[in-house]
Amino acid sequence: MANSTGIQALVFDVFGTVVDWRSGVAREAQAFLNRHAPGLDPFEFADAWRREYSPAMEEVRSGRRPYVRLDVLHRENLVKVLNRLGITGIPEAQIDALNLAWHRLDPWPDAVEALYRLKQRFIIAPLSNGNIRLMVDIAKRADLPWDAILGAEVVRAYKPSPQVYSETVEILGLEPAELCLVAAHNGDLAAARRLGLSTAFVARPTEHGAHQTTDLKAEQAWDFVVDDLLQLAGQLGCTR
């Protein structure tokens, strides 16, 4: 697997970088909202649910709470949002079903072809805060050809905690610079760089919708800065 960069494996942030979580959650929530809150915009609902994501993980990162998988946090966050919106009396089975929205997300248009190209020369795997079953379900639905499932549940910690990156390097038997994190989020890349990983920024300027204000551009001189994953594949010599 030798190449001019020395990189042997690529690990990917998934939510926002590989898959379009916002459109997928909104799509999955539409029927639920039609029944229980017909005036509510499904994209606003998706955004409200996502806003609980980082605070919930911070409870684990800070040590205030033991590690629990993201499916658990997502469900707790969903209940919080429903209560805040005054959507009450929902059967538990309907809440469970809506929580699976995160398992049924679509890839960005460039993602699948690029991953298949990159897989020819590199080990590829998710490095997501999503739990293993969540990553497997997304991959099977979206045809993401991972070589392994890595990330938060494997190391029982959430990004950007340092051990997520350092333990992943150790799991793959690599030197830090031989592992490249691919992400649409500068903070994720900065945490990986501090541990010596190679870094690739991919622009996803509509991850949070048309009025996104964060991560619109690379904020450091990452090893690769690309407009999409096909461009990254080309820069790494995976043209077909």
Side-chain angles (χ1 to χ4, degrees):
M1 282 195 190
N3 61 81
S4 59
T5 66
I7 293 168
Q8 295 191 37
L10 302 166
V11 289
F12 294 76
D13 171 74
V14 174
F15 298 121
T17 302
V18 177
V19 300
D20 177 2
W21 62 265
R22 187 173 186 262
S23 296
V25 170
R27 179 194 65 235
E28 294 290 322
Q30 181 71 73
F32 176 90
L33 294 174
N34 286 345
R35 290 194 303 273
H36 300 292
L40 191 62
D41 182 274
F43 287 95
E44 291 180 8
F45 181 81
D47 292 337
W49 194 355
R50 177 70 175 195
R51 280 195 293 272
E52 301 295 331
Y53 178 78
S54 291
M57 289 188 298
E58 184 56 30
E59 289 298 301
V60 176
R61 285 192 293 258
S62 68
R64 291 188 292 269
R65 179 179 187 178
Y67 175 83
V68 294
R69 63 177 61 95
L70 187 60
D71 273 341
V72 173
L73 297 182
H74 271 159
R75 193 186 191 284
E76 293 174 356
N77 294 343
L78 174 57
V79 171
K80 285 182 187 177
V81 171
L82 292 174
N83 288 338
R84 187 180 306 137
L85 294 170
I87 304 171
T88 58
I90 307 301
E92 294 294 308
Q94 288 191 34
I95 295 175
D96 290 340
L98 182 54
N99 197 45
L100 292 176
W102 295 91
H103 292 237
R104 295 188 287 266
L105 304 179
D106 294 332
W108 293 110
D110 55 284
V112 175
E113 181 181 350
L115 290 177
Y116 271 96
R117 290 185 190 182
L118 290 163
K119 182 182 174 77
Q120 295 174 22
R121 295 186 61 185
F122 302 94
I123 297 168
I124 61 168
L127 190 68
S128 174
N129 283 326
N131 46 282
I132 294 169
R133 176 61 186 271
L134 176 50
M135 289 296 104
V136 168
D137 285 350
I138 289 173
K140 290 179 79 67
R141 184 182 186 279
D143 190 27
L144 307 179
W146 304 126
D147 293 310
I149 302 292
L150 302 174
E153 191 173 12
V154 177
V155 303
R156 301 187 70 78
Y158 284 114
K159 295 184 300 178
S161 299
Q163 63 264 40
V164 180
Y165 311 97
S166 60
E167 291 185 28
T168 301
V169 169
E170 193 277 329
I171 286 167
L172 290 172
L174 300 173
E175 295 299 321
E178 294 174 333
L179 180 61
C180 181
L181 175 67
V182 183
H185 309 119
N186 287 280
D188 198 353
L189 295 171
R193 174 172 275 181
R194 285 193 288 272
L195 276 296
L197 276 68
S198 299
T199 52
F201 176 83
V202 55
R204 297 297 190 199
T206 61
E207 176 191 352
H208 296 278
H211 303 293
Q212 180 168 320
T213 59
T214 58
D215 291 312
L216 295 174
K217 62 181 181 179
E219 295 172 3
Q220 294 188 37
W222 308 119
D223 298 297
F224 302 91
V225 176
V226 296
D227 294 327
D228 60 35
L229 293 174
L230 285 169
Q231 193 176 86
L232 178 64
Q235 290 187 18
L236 286 168
C238 303
T239 55
R240 290 293 172 197

